[in-house]
Amino acid sequence: MRIFIEKDYDAMSRRMAQIIAAEITHNPACVLGLATGSTPEGAYKYLVDWHKQGCLSFQDVLSVNLDEYVGLAPTHDQSYRYFMQSNLFDHVDIVPENTRVPDGLTKDPAAFCAEYDAYIRSLGYVDLQLLGIGRNGHIGFNEPGDCFVKETHVVDLAESTIDANARFFATRDDVPKQAISMGIGAIMGAKKVLLAASGAEKADAILGSICGAITPHCPGSILQLHPNVAVVVDEVAGSKLKAAGVSVCG
Ligand code: GLP
């Protein structure tokens, strides 16, 4: 793992965006595995800026998103499809048909999940997978549990995840209780992974993922088995890594 500790959220975002832009420049027809949430928002702003300056094109890029809430339409302002449109897709030249986000309204979740995995396999898996991390160590919406789930699947969200995401909804009761999430198989099948985190409340999840036991009780810990992971954190999210003596880049 290459670990970058940046001074604040903006520096973390810039570093993330540089890694993503480098991937697109190196391989213009790459497959990006995209994430939502507060963590990648700043990186998407940088990518949009660089696109507007004429430095970066998404014309041949394909994207697959990690997850989506069950029951939210793409037009719902808290759906992850809406997030992707408003934070990235509507502002760059990506071809709409080349973007995939799980369908939160699917009538047949099992068939949908199998098709999503088949699509990712048909692309030869993701070239660069972005990941944020939950306070409980979840990646995508792979919540802590007794086993890692390999396939795309429907997840019952942990109470702590519902608490953490309630900030985006009018009330806690409005937070969906389930999501569709890419499984550990597709995430670990990616050629490269970019894990990012910001804020003190992520410090334990980052420490557990990078230095802790590899266990489904901290889903991010499986990344220790991946051969090509870059970790980009701000100083507070990375504070426990420094204390644990982990060697960092730069
Ligand atoms: C959410 C998402 C994850 C995200 C994580 C952290 O619930 N499903 O994909 O990485 O939790 O979110 P944030 O970046 O807003 O802290």
Side-chain angles (χ1 to χ4, degrees), residues 30 33 46-47 80 93 123 133 139 147 152 156 161-162 176 216 228:
C30 63
Y46 273 108
L47 295 175
Y80 287 168
D93 58 347
L123 299 176
I133 193 159
I139 49 176
C147 52
T152 296
D156 292 328
T161 299
I162 294 171
N228 193 339

Side-chain angles (χ1 to χ4, degrees), residues 9 34-41 66-69 80 83 130-136 138-143 157 161-162 164-165 167-168 179-181 195-198 201-202:
Y9 178 81
L34 296 177
T36 53
S38 308
T39 308
E41 253 185 85
L66 276 170
D67 46 17
E68 179 61 284
Y69 288 116
Y80 287 168
F83 175 101
L130 270 55
L131 293 175
I133 193 159
R135 297 169 196 190
N136 62 5
H138 75 227
I139 49 176
F141 267 132
N142 290 275
E143 296 283 25
L157 298 180
T161 299
I162 294 171
N165 291 358
R167 69 191 193 278
F168 297 116
I180 294 177
S181 180
L195 171 69
S198 133
E201 67 279 7
K202 301 290 177 70

Side-chain angles (χ1 to χ4, degrees), residues 23 25 64 80 130 182 215:
E23 181 69 29
T25 304
V64 282
Y80 287 168
L130 270 55
M182 210 187 259
T215 164

